[in-house]
């Protein structure tokens, strides 16, 4: 008897330890992912800058100078100050900052001015401790002159894609993601919620509704690439909507998100106690009033949670967007849902495929931005659920 | 009642979002936009030009999509109009079949611009033994049926007794890639035709020749490494003795991790590739649609920008494109500025 009890306790302990082990394992994986991303990616938010003294009075630059002239003047100033190779220490886009400085304050054209300009990615790497001998030697020399600094990279948060890792930004892809999600939400949420309401409250129980239910469950499990092919065939080839546009991306992802919303919505509506419906009907409310005044508000937290989880999945989706041409190089942030755009996960995919080594840390930095976006969305889901939740 | 108000607010806000989204989606946003598709090898060069083009021509932009040469040609040749790309990048010359396909769909004026040379290189890890290969060795090692017999070679020594007894492992681009097309054409076919019987076969049975010469083995010795060339570099570094095949610019960029393998005694360097003496060097092209030149603003400017960039000391050279010899460059400038149409003669 006692032995049996001991055995039962032992089994209990074993099971508890197994569960704990499973949690620890998944936490370890998550921690590993986060630590690698953060340690690789933090550098991406920082940018090395080099001080260049440009004597505007001595050169022929004016407020109307073309880009090429400014570029040449900056290169000449860098060579004069840091010797041959000085121009190569600066990023290809360094002259843009000089142009901006001239626009902001034309009076600098008459005097000598020290400007902090972005460094080329080889120097950037060396300053962060990952570079070759030549670049490191230059960095040491610059450090002695106090002519190099590493600061927060605001261009990364406000710029769009570029070919030079020192000049890339995430805003273009972020805005593309935002617009795509907007289209997805605008289509998938109303359609999903209305289908859920109809199926739960109005549809008769027969073989047809059973079939629809099975189809919806199936649809939720279809691999996303299939939706991409569907989007390519329907939206691009049949309706001739613009390629690479957030509109098409949003429509495609809406198809993918809708079943998730329908399933979550039905479950939420199902969990509203029938007594509430009966009471409302009993005091003479119409069916529509019952649904909109009582059932939906009570089911809302569940529906919203489902929606946001579906949206979060759509946000991280890459495969279907590749099919509809959202993998293009686009150097300007989109200005509407029909202008070509990229999205965060696709941008990460594109950068991971780049030749230049400076893109490695930018890729990780973009992943951090994507994770932060996802975290914000999931946080919103939890907030909404807690705010609207009602217990009985 | 309070909750229903919340619902109404929610519905209203979703509706506003939808309306707002539609509002900003008015067609014709006013900017001219070039659509460019095609080869992943030419992609980094075209994007660099696109960036510069955008900076110097306010209000114009170009979007570049990397689809692979074959798929790019298919999109490019699909027709004339807004929904079809204006230009395509190609890591090989347009084929006769593609040219005909284009003509059938109304794309009759194709402007061919040879933008420069790209080197395809065979690489190995820095700590690898140091291969010295010939194109015939490579063919015998990776072809599915070298000279008509099933491939039984396990190690490089089976291929050529002077080579080390290291198992054959070759990481190469997949069949959708332009780099693979070039590898088949530049290295496999040449190795294959080292046997006169194969050369004769080309005359008598073209399909069989193609099958025997360019089909790679599927028993694990050849690994399709995907379009991600950085991954390929990583795989080769971690596996001394393995051979990788990729664009020369990747070799240059990763010179501290991998080194080039000499083919027929010629190592892949900037010089041997520019002279097209390294077997893996090839000319790359951009094709523009003549029908769009007048309808799409910016095409001329884009080609002009390209021609400024591909010379010696231009920014494309810094990105790994090797300038063509002067005579080819002169011809290319002429094509880019006078927009001369390509004729079907001489296409394969």
């Amino acid at each position: 008897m006692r032995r049996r009890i001991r055995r039962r306790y032992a089994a209990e302990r074993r099971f508890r330890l197994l569960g704990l082990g499973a949690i620890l394992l998944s936490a370890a994986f998550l921690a590993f992912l986060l630590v690698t991303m953060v340690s690789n990616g933090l550098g991406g938010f920082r940018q090395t800058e080099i001080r260049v003294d440009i004597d505007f009075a001595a050169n022929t630059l004016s407020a109307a100078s073309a880009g090429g002239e400014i570029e040449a003047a900056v290169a000449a100033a860098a060579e004069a100050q840091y010797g041959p190779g000085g121009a190569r220490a600066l990023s290809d886009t360094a002259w843009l900052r000089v142009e901006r400085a001239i626009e902001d304050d034309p009076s600098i054209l008459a005097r000598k001015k020290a400007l902090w300009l972005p460094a080329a990615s080889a120097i950037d790497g060396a300053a962060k401790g990952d570079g070759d001998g030549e670049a490191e030697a230059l960095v040491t020399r610059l450090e002695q002159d106090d002519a190099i600094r590493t600061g927060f990279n605001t261009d990364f948060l406000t710029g769009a894609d570029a070919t030079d890792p020192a000049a890339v930004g995430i805003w273009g892809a972020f805005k593309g993601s935002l617009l795509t999600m907007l289209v997805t939400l605008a289509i998938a949420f109303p359609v999903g919620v209305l289908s859920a309401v109809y199926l739960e409250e109005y549809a008769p129980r027969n073989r047809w509704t059973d079939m629809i239910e099975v189809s919806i469950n199936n649809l939720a499990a279809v691999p996303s690439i299939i939706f991409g092919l569907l989007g390519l065939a329907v939206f691009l080839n049949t309706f001739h909507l613009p390629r690479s546009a957030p509109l098409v991306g949003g429509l495609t992802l809406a198809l993918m998100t809708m079943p998730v919303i329908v399933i979550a919505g039905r479950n939420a509506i199902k969990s509203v106690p029938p007594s509430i419906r009966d009471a409302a009907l009993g005091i003479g409310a119409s069916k529509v009033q019952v649904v909109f005044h009582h059932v939906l508000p009570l089911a809302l937290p569940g529906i919203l949670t489902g929606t946001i989880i579906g949206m979060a999945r759509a946000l991280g989706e890459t495969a279907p967007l590749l099919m509809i041409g959202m993998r293009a190089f686009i150097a300007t942030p989109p200005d509407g849902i029909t202008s070509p755009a990229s999205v965060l996960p696709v941008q990460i995919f594109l950068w991971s495929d780049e030749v230049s080594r400076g893109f490695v840390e930018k890729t990780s930095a973009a992943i951090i931005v994507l994770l932060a976006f996802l975290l914000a969305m999931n946080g919103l889901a939890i907030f909404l659920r807690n705010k609207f939740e009602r217990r009985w | 009642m309070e909750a229903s108000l919340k619902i109404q607010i929610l519905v209203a806000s979703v509706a506003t979002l939808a309306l707002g989204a539609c509002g900003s989606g008015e067609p014709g946003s006013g900017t001219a936009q070039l659509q460019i598709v095609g080869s992943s090898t030419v992609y980094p060069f075209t994007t660099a030009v696109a960036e510069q083009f955008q900076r110097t021509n306010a209000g114009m932009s170009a979007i570049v999509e990397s689809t692979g040469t074959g798929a790019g040609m298919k999109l490019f040749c699909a027709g004339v109009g807004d929904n079809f790309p204006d230009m395509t990048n190609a890591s090989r010359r347009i084929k006769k079949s593609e040219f005909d396909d284009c003509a059938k769909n109304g794309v009759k004026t194709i402007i061919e611009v040879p933008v420069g040379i790209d080197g395809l290189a065979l690489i190995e890890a820095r700590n690898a033994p140091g291969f010295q290969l010939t194109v015939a060795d490579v063919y015998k090692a990776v072809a599915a049926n070298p000279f008509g017999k099933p491939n039984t070679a396990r190690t490089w020594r089976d291929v050529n007794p002077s080579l080390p007894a290291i198992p054959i492992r070759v990481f190469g681009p997949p069949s959708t890639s332009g780099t693979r097309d070039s590898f088949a054409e530049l290295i496999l076919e040449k190795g294959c035709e080292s046997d006169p019987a194969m050369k004769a076969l080309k005359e008598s049975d073209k399909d069989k020749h193609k099958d025997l010469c360019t089909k790679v083995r599927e028993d694990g010795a050849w690994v399709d490494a995907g379009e991600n060339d950085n991954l390929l570099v990583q795989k080769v570094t971690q596996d001394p003795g393995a051979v990788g095949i990729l664009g020369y610019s990747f070799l240059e960029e990763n010179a501290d991790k991998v080194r080039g393998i000499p083919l027929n005694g010629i190592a892949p360097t900037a010089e041997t590739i520019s002279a097209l003496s390294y077997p893996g060097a090839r000319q790359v092209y951009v094709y523009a649609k003549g029908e769009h030149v007048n309808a799409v603003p910016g095409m001329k400017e884009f080609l002009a920008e390209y021609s400024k960039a591909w010379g010696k000391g231009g920014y494309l050279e810094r990105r790994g494109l090797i300038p063509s010899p002067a005579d080819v460059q002169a011809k290319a400038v002429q094509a880019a500025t006078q927009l001369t149409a390509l004729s079907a003669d001489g296409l394969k």
Side-chain angles (χ1 to χ4, degrees):
Chain A
M1 186 65 190
R2 188 151 296 170
R3 222 174 56 215
R4 257 175 64 193
I5 287 178
R6 230 185 7 251
R7 273 222 309 270
R8 276 177 62 173
Y9 280 147
E12 191 92 356
R13 258 200 316 277
R14 264 203 309 278
F15 182 72
R16 228 174 39 214
L17 283 176
L18 267 177
L20 191 65
I23 296 230
L24 283 180
L25 192 67
S26 45
F29 279 131
L30 186 67
F32 176 73
L33 175 82
L34 285 179
V35 167
T36 8
M37 282 310 141
V38 169
S39 62
N40 280 341
L42 276 186
F45 291 103
R46 290 150 60 73
Q47 186 180 43
T48 308
E49 295 178 326
I50 296 176
R51 196 188 66 218
V52 180
D53 303 314
I54 303 178
D55 191 357
F56 289 99
N59 58 39
T60 55
L61 288 185
S62 71
S65 287
E69 274 175 68
I70 301 178
E71 198 173 359
V74 173
E79 297 267 325
Q81 194 170 0
Y82 301 114
R88 261 184 299 129
L90 294 177
S91 142
D92 291 348
T93 51
W95 62 273
L96 283 174
R97 205 174 282 190
V98 179
E99 189 181 49
R100 229 181 299 153
I102 297 176
E103 264 168 35
D104 288 348
D105 181 14
S107 73
I108 61 169
L109 284 171
R111 54 192 153 92
K112 196 166 171 168
K113 170 105 176 139
L115 289 171
W116 286 97
L117 302 177
S121 68
I123 303 293
D124 193 45
K128 288 169 190 160
D130 169 39
D132 52 25
E134 200 186 332
E136 262 163 17
L138 184 59
V139 169
T140 337
R141 218 171 76 216
L142 288 169
E143 270 165 359
Q144 280 159 4
D145 290 355
D146 222 2
I148 191 165
R149 68 173 183 195
T150 304
F152 186 72
N153 187 354
T154 45
D155 288 352
F156 182 71
L157 294 183
T158 56
D161 199 4
T163 54
D164 178 8
V168 295
I170 197 71
W171 174 238
F174 192 87
K175 198 173 171 194
S177 268
L178 219 57
L179 289 169
T180 309
M181 287 298 106
L182 221 62
V183 175
T184 306
L185 185 68
I187 309 272
F189 186 73
V191 178
V193 172
L194 287 178
S195 328
V197 168
Y198 182 82
L199 283 175
E200 273 310 309
E201 299 288 328
Y202 293 95
R205 295 258 164 268
N206 57 28
R207 203 184 306 156
W208 288 110
T209 43
D210 282 352
M211 233 158 81
I212 290 176
E213 187 172 344
V214 171
S215 318
I216 289 178
N217 287 338
N218 265 333
L219 212 56
V222 166
S224 56
I225 187 79
I226 313 256
F227 287 105
L229 288 167
L230 185 75
L232 176 69
V234 175
F235 301 128
L236 291 187
N237 294 347
T238 312
F239 291 128
H240 297 296
L241 291 173
R243 211 175 147 80
S244 315
L247 175 64
V248 181
L251 286 170
T252 309
L253 292 179
L255 292 179
M256 210 186 79
T257 317
M258 221 150 57
V260 180
I261 299 183
V262 175
I263 292 170
R266 288 188 67 181
N267 287 333
I269 291 171
K270 223 181 270 172
S271 67
V272 174
S275 57
I276 290 187
R277 289 187 192 87
D278 294 343
L281 287 170
I283 56 169
S286 72
K287 190 87 188 168
V288 174
Q289 283 172 327
V290 172
V291 168
F292 278 94
H293 293 177
H294 301 280
V295 177
L296 264 189
L298 289 174
L300 199 58
I303 299 179
L304 285 180
T305 315
T307 307
I308 292 181
I309 286 170
M311 297 287 288
R313 193 185 138 198
L315 176 67
E317 201 54 73
T318 325
L321 300 179
L322 298 183
M323 303 305 302
I324 54 159
M326 287 190 96
R327 57 174 296 182
F329 170 81
I330 297 154
T332 39
D335 48 11
I337 56 168
T338 52
S339 58
S342 184
V343 293
L344 284 170
V346 178
Q347 192 69 73
I348 291 166
F349 170 75
L350 282 176
W351 284 351
S352 73
D353 206 19
E354 281 285 346
V355 191
S356 184
R357 238 194 278 171
F359 273 106
V360 174
E361 62 174 22
K362 298 295 175 192
T363 309
S364 299
I367 293 173
I368 294 178
V369 171
L370 178 66
L371 287 181
F373 197 169
L374 278 173
L375 200 68
M377 271 176 87
N378 287 332
L380 185 71
I382 293 171
F383 170 76
L384 286 175
R385 193 175 59 208
N386 291 344
K387 191 165 159 57
F388 290 111
E389 195 161 48
R390 192 172 302 174
R391 294 182 187 281
W392 50 77
Chain B
M1 219 57 271
E2 182 216 8
S4 85
L5 196 72
K6 273 178 194 157
I7 291 237
Q8 278 165 9
I9 291 172
L10 198 83
V11 169
S13 58
V14 168
T16 336
L17 281 183
L19 280 178
C22 294
S24 61
E26 303 273 278
S29 41
T31 50
Q33 207 146 48
L34 289 182
Q35 275 191 53
I36 305 169
V37 293
S39 164
S40 56
T41 315
V42 192
Y43 173 83
F45 311 129
T46 303
T47 49
V49 173
E51 202 174 40
Q52 194 65 24
F53 161 76
Q54 209 155 311
R55 251 181 236 140
T56 44
N57 297 277
M60 294 181 186
S61 61
I63 64 169
V64 190
E65 199 181 326
S66 149
T67 60
T69 304
M73 279 292 172
K74 210 167 145 196
L75 284 168
F76 179 78
C77 286
V80 175
D82 262 358
N83 290 308
F84 304 102
D86 306 305
M87 295 186 200
T88 184
N89 300 319
S91 55
R92 54 164 169 76
R93 239 187 146 196
I94 187 170
K95 290 179 186 158
K96 182 80 174 65
S97 58
E98 288 162 344
F99 187 86
D100 294 342
D101 190 35
C102 260
K104 206 170 66 204
N105 292 321
V107 185
K108 299 206 167 68
T109 332
I110 301 171
I111 300 153
E112 180 186 70
V113 187
V115 293
I117 295 167
D118 182 71
L120 156 89
L122 268 68
I123 58 160
E124 63 184 340
R126 280 239 149 236
N127 55 351
F131 281 114
Q132 291 276 348
L133 301 176
T134 65
V135 285
D137 291 341
V138 178
Y139 170 68
K140 281 187 241 166
V142 303
N145 301 298
F147 308 127
K149 291 181 285 291
N151 200 339
T152 53
R154 300 271 114 221
T155 68
W156 288 97
R157 180 161 291 163
D158 299 341
V159 169
N160 181 343
S162 67
L163 290 171
I166 296 173
I168 299 170
R169 278 186 316 277
V170 179
F171 297 101
S175 55
T176 49
S177 159
T179 316
R180 170 72 168 272
D181 288 355
S182 294
F183 175 67
E185 244 167 70
L186 296 172
I187 295 180
L188 290 181
E189 275 192 28
K190 274 185 206 154
C192 177
E193 282 165 12
S194 60
D195 180 358
M198 289 294 127
K199 221 167 196 170
L201 188 65
K202 192 172 186 177
E203 307 301 320
S204 55
D205 188 346
K206 233 178 175 160
D207 287 339
K208 182 130 190 254
H209 171 266
K210 194 176 169 206
D211 189 60
L212 290 183
C213 284
T214 64
K215 203 164 164 233
V216 300
R217 57 203 289 189
E218 284 164 351
D219 58 357
W222 169 281
V223 183
D224 273 356
E227 291 271 12
N228 191 325
D229 294 317
N230 281 333
L231 204 63
L232 202 150
V233 170
Q234 213 173 16
K235 279 186 188 157
V236 171
T237 358
Q238 284 162 359
D239 189 359
V243 172
I245 297 161
L246 40 54
Y248 176 70
S249 56
F250 282 88
L251 167 61
E252 208 171 42
E253 186 77 20
N254 293 287
D256 56 338
K257 291 191 209 137
V258 292
R259 64 165 168 246
I261 298 177
L263 275 182
N264 302 349
I266 302 164
T269 63
E271 292 80 47
T272 56
I273 282 178
S274 153
L276 298 176
S277 65
Y278 181 71
R282 61 180 159 170
Q283 189 82 46
V284 294
Y285 300 87
V286 167
Y287 289 94
K289 208 175 268 179
E291 282 80 1
H292 284 191
V293 167
N294 291 323
V296 183
M299 274 181 79
K300 280 182 203 150
E301 289 83 349
F302 188 86
L303 289 175
E305 180 60 49
Y306 227 127
S307 66
K308 267 187 263 169
W310 68 46
K312 253 213 147 17
Y315 56 86
L316 292 184
E317 194 182 5
R318 251 178 298 164
R319 285 177 198 276
L321 184 75
I322 302 149
S324 327
D327 55 325
V328 180
Q329 239 171 42
K331 229 182 271 170
V333 170
Q334 198 187 0
T337 48
Q338 293 169 10
L339 310 175
T340 34
L342 173 72
S343 77
D345 312 331
L347 291 182
K348 276 185 271 184

